[in-house]
Amino acid sequence: MSGRILTFNIFRFDPQDAGDKPKMVKYQLEETSGMTVFIALNKLRQEQDPSLQFDFVCRAGICGSCAMVINGFPTLACRTLTAKYPKGEITLMPLPGFELIGDLSVNTGKFMRELAERLKLWLHPKSDDLNIHRLEDPMDPEEAARLYELERCVECGVCVSACATKQMRDTFVGAVGMMKIARFELDSRDGRSADDFYHVIGNQDGVFGCMTLLGCQDNCPKDLPHMQQIAYLRRKMASTLL
């Protein structure tokens, strides 16, 4: 028994080609059982258009590479079933807010690296002891669980593209930046104080610029507690002013 025919409207543009212009290209494909948008894109590239550009690595919602805008909502292609769309019409666009590589491929890696350097997103040990043979201090299991929850971010960029503040203010660090800051603020091994973090995100580009529209919370494919952590950091930063 054959499946229904899906219609894909896909954004196409190669910025490396001086003569190319942005356009929408229509493709049709027969749906199979359990098909995801990711599987459909691979079939389109294999069977109809090998020039189609999009990213993937893990195929299991772990790497975050296949994030794109599907029918108006940023999400992961590998976790989006085509059966979700009863009309069988699917429009695919690249994530806004990132440098376009081509078609549906954007450079999230460049953004994440620049964000890490800007916010100093690494552990700043309390001790200056650089002895690599010293045993690591034990961590309370509850603290480890809290840190693990915040470490589940796959840096897909969905929260960045879903954030209205980020789209209006390019310098805004976004939910992904504040989630990572919260991770180190909670880490008992980190030597930075609330005042230190205030000088990084205690402004309109950080926690006080968030308009609480819940775009990051509603669209995060890993269901991370973005608004909880932003509210936590906002209270922490505000307390430094008292």
Side-chain angles (χ1 to χ4, degrees):
M1 182 176 179
S2 60
R4 62 176 178 163
I5 299 300
L6 300 172
T7 299
F8 287 87
N9 295 296
I10 302 179
F11 175 85
R12 301 299 308 274
F13 176 55
D14 185 356
Q16 304 301 318
D17 183 352
D20 197 15
K21 294 182 179 180
K23 56 187 176 293
M24 298 299 293
V25 178
K26 182 177 293 186
Y27 301 89
Q28 288 192 319
L29 183 72
E30 183 179 328
E31 186 177 35
T32 58
S33 178
M35 176 177 276
T36 63
V37 172
F38 163 77
I39 293 174
L41 282 171
N42 271 280
K43 285 181 69 66
L44 287 174
R45 185 155 67 180
Q46 292 170 5
E47 301 173 2
Q48 299 185 34
D49 191 344
S51 69
L52 183 60
Q53 298 183 66
F54 61 94
D55 299 317
F56 71 92
V57 177
C58 74
R59 313 182 186 191
I62 298 173
C63 71
S65 298
C66 66
M68 60 187 66
V69 178
I70 305 177
N71 281 13
F73 293 91
T75 188
L76 298 180
C78 69
R79 297 185 64 182
T80 304
L81 293 170
T82 55
K84 177 181 178 181
Y85 306 101
K87 294 183 179 180
E89 295 184 3
I90 302 173
T91 299
L92 305 179
M93 301 285 291
L95 290 181
F98 298 96
E99 177 186 340
L100 180 68
I101 296 175
D103 300 339
L104 304 175
S105 176
V106 296
N107 198 341
T108 54
K110 178 181 177 182
F111 171 86
M112 296 300 174
R113 180 181 178 87
E114 291 176 347
L115 185 69
E117 293 174 348
R118 174 185 172 188
L119 301 182
K120 303 186 187 315
L121 297 176
W122 54 82
L123 187 72
H124 293 235
K126 291 180 177 178
S127 172
D128 293 329
D129 184 2
L130 301 179
N131 181 9
I132 62 173
H133 300 292
R134 184 176 63 86
L135 292 178
E136 185 176 358
D137 294 332
M139 177 179 288
D140 183 84
E142 292 184 359
E143 179 183 349
R146 290 195 299 270
L147 294 182
Y148 173 75
E149 174 69 5
L150 306 188
E151 286 280 12
R152 291 192 301 108
C153 174
V154 295
E155 299 186 354
C156 61
V158 165
C159 64
V160 175
S161 294
C163 177
T165 304
K166 179 62 179 175
Q167 301 311 312
M168 292 187 294
R169 187 186 305 124
D170 187 58
T171 53
F172 184 61
V173 301
V176 61
M178 286 183 274
M179 177 66 70
K180 291 178 178 296
I181 283 288
R183 176 255 180 273
F184 289 110
E185 200 282 332
L186 287 170
D187 197 325
S188 61
R189 300 167 299 175
D190 198 287
R192 286 171 288 184
S193 65
D195 188 61
D196 293 325
F197 288 113
Y198 177 84
H199 285 87
V200 177
I201 58 168
N203 49 43
Q204 289 299 308
D205 285 337
V207 291
F208 300 122
C210 173
M211 297 188 293
T212 322
L213 298 178
L214 303 181
C216 54
Q217 187 86 24
D218 292 343
N219 292 279
C220 178
K222 306 302 286 186
D223 296 320
L224 292 172
H226 288 292
M227 294 313 304
Q228 175 186 337
Q229 296 308 316
I230 291 173
Y232 167 77
L233 287 174
R234 187 175 285 169
R235 291 193 299 271
K236 274 280 188 177
M237 298 304 100
S239 68
T240 66
L241 303 175
L242 300 178

